[in-house]
Amino acid sequence: MQVISAPHEFNATDLYVDLASVVGERLILKCEGFNFAGSIKLKAAHAMVSAAERAGDLRPGSTIVESSSGNLGVALSIVACNRGYRFICVTDSRCTLASRQLMQLLGSEVHVVTEPHPVDGLLGARIQRVRELCAGVSDSVWLNQYANPNNWMAHHQLTGPEILKAFPDLGVLFVGSGTTGTLMGCARYMREHKPSVRIVAIDAAGSVTFGGPSQTRMIPGLGTGVRPQLLDESYVDDVVIVPEMDTIRSCRQLARRGFLFGGSTGTVVSGATAWLAEHPLAADVSAVAIAPDLGERYLDTVYQDQWVSDLYGPGALQEAVAAESH
């Protein structure tokens, strides 16, 4: 039995799914969505808030201001209301309705940016709005998940050790790239404790994180319009770029086997499967991918046929099913 007094104290960290029968490759999925925030972002949210409290930046009556595409906003909403802080989340039109409603239910204010920055896109516009709010709100703190070292340190202290303890034979680790906090924390841990592990970053098509051209992206979570300050590519061995229709196909493939995961997870699984198809693993090593989130918040987007058809064309789903059957 586990009895808790704060929501961050519960997090299922040792749940893994063997996807071999689903994706046709030897791939283990670490499930990070079974907590009160529904995503891996609870780790970073708690770490950043706790560090700000220790530094004296957050005090009773303080206001947290942060940019988020959804998952971190929900996680910070939970931590903030539990600790008595006001929280303002700046998001954009891609944030799912479910995420916005959850944040508001938890007492947070949600500002939705609709006009992109002329150079840095919607993320740049969100960051600009955060700076404006901080300038106008007394005793406000921008945690800045894109540059805050406590973001990656949470995964260096928790996620990396959890994976290596469960799979000491780890050969390759697949990690999605958003702020790159999870990626950098896990990669640094593996470099220190098992440098033979190959680190494969999974990014969304249209993201500029690894130098690709900026393009419109509709699925929140992975990918950025501004290169993350946390990223150090020297810790990354390979990068796989995943088109959004491949993300949708992967999500739906998992759902047909009863596993309802979010868009970020679909991207990671799609990228990991593609990489493994070209890089067969030795029999004595394991491949692990990190699943950042669950799928309920994507029911009106990734899992909604009309949404997919409107954005990617009326034949997109049929083409995805046909490709999967081959």
Side-chain angles (χ1 to χ4, degrees):
M1 181 176 66
Q2 182 178 7
V3 179
I4 65 173
S5 56
H8 74 271
E9 294 174 355
F10 171 76
N11 195 2
T13 60
D14 58 353
L15 178 61
Y16 295 83
V17 177
D18 184 344
L19 292 181
S21 64
V22 181
V23 301
E25 301 287 349
R26 290 172 43 225
L27 179 63
I28 302 294
L29 194 62
K30 186 182 195 303
C31 302
E32 286 281 351
F34 291 95
N35 56 53
F36 283 95
S39 82
I40 196 171
K41 290 293 189 177
L42 184 59
K43 290 177 175 177
H46 176 252
M48 291 190 295
V49 169
S50 296
E53 290 175 333
R54 290 193 299 270
D57 297 327
L58 279 176
R59 302 175 296 275
S62 291
T63 297
I64 299 170
V65 184
E66 186 57 270
S67 159
S68 169
S69 62
N71 283 339
L72 182 75
V74 172
L76 279 174
S77 295
I78 286 173
V79 176
C81 74
N82 180 254
R83 298 193 179 183
Y85 300 118
R86 178 189 179 197
F87 174 48
I88 304 174
C89 180
V90 179
T91 188
D92 60 56
S93 50
R94 295 170 298 186
C95 179
T96 66
L97 176 62
S99 292
R100 296 200 302 269
Q101 290 176 327
L102 272 171
M103 288 186 273
Q104 291 167 336
L105 175 67
L106 293 163
S108 302
E109 297 176 34
V110 181
H111 293 227
V112 180
V113 170
T114 57
E115 293 296 325
H117 184 278
V119 176
D120 296 328
L122 285 168
L123 176 55
R126 278 162 35 192
I127 292 174
Q128 181 177 327
R129 178 69 64 84
V130 166
R131 291 194 171 107
E132 292 169 354
L133 285 166
C134 286
V137 177
S138 62
D139 198 14
S140 59
V141 176
W142 178 25
L143 297 174
N144 193 1
Q145 62 165 327
Y146 312 102
N148 192 323
N150 295 288
N151 184 347
W152 70 259
M153 288 172 63
H155 303 288
H156 184 273
Q157 296 168 359
L158 298 171
T159 313
E162 290 161 4
I163 294 170
L164 198 56
K165 179 181 178 181
F167 295 93
D169 63 345
L170 184 67
V172 59
L173 178 63
F174 300 97
V175 190
S177 303
T179 65
T180 69
T182 307
L183 174 64
M184 288 294 96
C186 291
R188 282 187 167 94
Y189 183 83
M190 297 305 166
R191 181 71 60 88
E192 295 166 8
H193 296 274
K194 193 171 184 181
S196 62
V197 174
R198 196 163 186 84
I199 302 297
V200 180
I202 312 296
D203 199 13
S207 167
V208 305
T209 300
F210 294 98
S214 177
Q215 297 174 357
T216 300
R217 291 173 290 108
M218 297 307 299
I219 301 174
L222 301 188
T224 62
V226 180
R227 181 181 168 89
Q229 292 174 253
L230 295 179
L231 177 62
D232 183 342
E233 289 190 62
S234 68
Y235 288 94
V236 178
D237 296 300
D238 285 312
V239 178
V240 179
I241 306 298
V242 178
E244 288 193 325
M245 268 312 304
D246 287 350
T247 292
I248 293 167
R249 180 175 65 183
S250 182
C251 285
R252 288 168 175 246
Q253 180 185 21
L254 291 165
R256 282 194 290 274
R257 299 298 293 271
F259 296 110
L260 189 66
F261 286 107
S264 296
T265 298
T267 303
V268 172
V269 171
S270 178
T273 304
W275 190 93
L276 289 169
E278 296 182 2
H279 304 82
L281 291 181
D284 59 346
V285 299
S286 294
V288 174
I290 298 176
D293 54 1
L294 300 178
E296 289 89 344
R297 294 172 198 169
Y298 298 82
L299 292 178
D300 58 351
T301 56
V302 169
Y303 294 104
Q304 217 285 328
D305 288 356
Q306 190 61 54
W307 184 87
V308 175
S309 296
D310 288 346
L311 289 177
Y312 305 100
L317 286 175
Q318 291 87 338
E319 291 171 7
V321 172
E324 185 181 326
S325 65
H326 285 83

